[in-house]
Amino acid sequence: MGSNKRTYLLSVFISEPATKHAGIKSAIDALSDGEYEFLHLHKMGVFAVVNSDHCADAILSAVQEATMSDDRVFICSLGNDWQTYGLNKAAFWLKGHLKPNS
């Protein structure tokens, strides 16, 4: 099953923190079989790099189960040309986990 995995940048912009948002981590974990790294985790946003067999639409559907209607979500497939500044854990994760574009 891992042969179809792609790496995504998942950004959830939270309008108003709510208890429901706790489910975002569970959704990411389930979508990625635990293969993800948080770039930033804050009460107003969740930003992660995620390896998943699922397409962006399926990721959005799963994440929306844990978000509110006024939250915003951005999902983008990552390619091989990337760079970080001040995000050492993300850079290390990408170097070891980035899936090539298919």
Side-chain angles (χ1 to χ4, degrees):
M1 200 169 146
S3 63
N4 293 327
K5 282 193 175 185
R6 295 187 71 158
T7 302
Y8 294 93
L9 170 63
L10 169 64
S11 303
V12 181
F13 300 88
I14 297 172
S15 297
E16 182 76 27
T19 307
K20 185 177 183 182
H21 291 117
I24 295 172
K25 183 185 181 306
S26 298
I28 293 171
D29 195 43
L31 289 164
S32 67
D33 296 324
E35 197 174 342
Y36 65 92
E37 181 66 53
F38 287 112
L39 302 176
H40 189 67
L41 189 57
H42 186 268
K43 66 181 180 178
M44 300 307 287
V46 175
F47 306 93
V49 284
V50 179
N51 282 345
S52 182
D53 288 319
H54 301 279
C55 68
D57 285 341
I59 294 170
L60 176 62
S61 293
V63 169
Q64 281 182 315
E65 296 290 320
T67 60
M68 307 300 282
S69 62
D70 54 346
D71 293 339
R72 302 293 176 251
V73 179
F74 176 76
I75 301 166
C76 181
S77 178
L78 292 178
N80 296 320
D81 187 17
W82 59 271
Q83 194 54 257
T84 67
Y85 176 78
L87 296 168
N88 294 341
K89 280 180 67 177
F92 181 77
W93 189 92
L94 284 166
K95 286 177 184 173
H97 294 90
L98 182 69
K99 301 298 180 189
N101 288 338
S102 9

